[in-house]
Amino acid sequence: MYLYLSSTLFFYLSYLGLDKYGDDFFPNTTEIVTKKYRIVNSVKSVALAGLCFPGTTFLYNMVYFPTSIFWDELNMLGAVYAATDISALLYNRKCHTSTTIHHIVVQLFYFYCYFMEFNMKYGVVRGIGIYCVLSSYAFLVNGRLALRFISNKQLEYYVNVTSLYIYITSCVINWIIQ
């Protein structure tokens, strides 16, 4: 729980710092794509990208060495993933209803796993853990959201196409595993 709380604080303070000093990098473009929206999605994209390596290690160990899985690894992955969402919800209250629902559901899943002590033998903890890791692979989707309506249309196009393929692939793999 300490990792969840400290990560939430870290992400929230990151948002505040970028809000104060990031005017050139995070312009408002529409009523929905605001500076706060860009900041949240940029930070979340970087955080999820950072979860990819430990997530891959966790999945590898889960498949090939199931008796040596360290449940603390799943706690770390889930805590950081959930912290990106709760800090975003606290910082950027002006978001779409479906985004708010997503952030709340992620919190509920994290707390369920926490109270189940991340024991992947009972309940749906295993599925939630796999979902968390595979969702982090789609980090570019959040990067794509941060880049919406930028002036460099070619970059935006390539990020859109790449993130679409990554998102579809991670969803299909997740659905097959689930």
Side-chain angles (χ1 to χ4, degrees):
M1 187 60 67
Y2 293 121
L3 181 59
Y4 170 78
L5 295 172
S6 61
S7 295
T8 300
L9 181 62
F10 172 78
F11 290 128
Y12 187 78
L13 293 175
S14 297
Y15 302 148
L16 293 178
L18 289 170
D19 197 356
K20 185 172 183 178
Y21 299 109
D23 289 336
D24 295 336
F25 300 107
F26 304 104
N28 284 337
T29 37
T30 69
E31 190 175 312
I32 299 296
V33 182
T34 63
K35 180 180 176 182
K36 287 185 174 193
Y37 179 88
R38 289 187 190 282
I39 289 170
V40 164
N41 281 295
S42 296
V43 170
K44 186 172 181 178
S45 182
V46 171
L48 294 180
L51 292 180
C52 288
F53 182 73
T56 301
T57 303
F58 177 80
L59 289 178
Y60 179 83
N61 289 336
M62 188 178 77
V63 170
Y64 294 105
F65 307 105
T67 57
S68 66
I69 294 175
F70 296 105
W71 309 118
D72 290 342
E73 291 176 22
L74 182 56
N75 181 17
M76 183 274 300
L77 295 166
V80 173
Y81 186 93
T84 62
D85 282 350
I86 192 64
S87 60
L89 192 60
L90 295 171
Y91 171 72
N92 184 23
R93 296 176 192 268
K94 185 180 178 182
C95 56
H96 197 272
T97 304
S98 63
T99 303
T100 302
I101 292 168
H102 163 80
H103 291 327
I104 292 169
V105 168
V106 166
Q107 302 317 299
L108 295 174
F109 282 165
Y110 174 72
F111 287 117
Y112 171 79
C113 291
Y114 183 83
F115 289 113
M116 294 294 289
E117 297 178 342
F118 295 95
N119 187 338
M120 292 181 32
K121 295 179 184 174
Y122 303 105
V124 294
V125 174
R126 183 181 199 91
I128 294 170
I130 292 168
Y131 171 82
C132 172
V133 172
L134 292 176
S135 293
S136 69
Y137 292 149
F139 65 89
L140 190 57
V141 172
N142 289 94
R144 178 254 181 259
L145 293 173
L147 294 174
R148 286 172 69 185
F149 307 118
I150 62 171
S151 58
N152 186 340
K153 296 302 175 194
Q154 187 175 10
L155 173 63
E156 185 178 7
Y157 172 78
Y158 287 121
V159 171
N160 285 347
V161 170
T162 305
S163 63
L164 178 64
Y165 287 125
I166 291 170
Y167 183 73
I168 289 171
T169 302
S170 65
C171 284
V172 168
I173 291 170
N174 204 349
W175 296 332
I176 290 169
I177 292 172
Q178 299 293 344

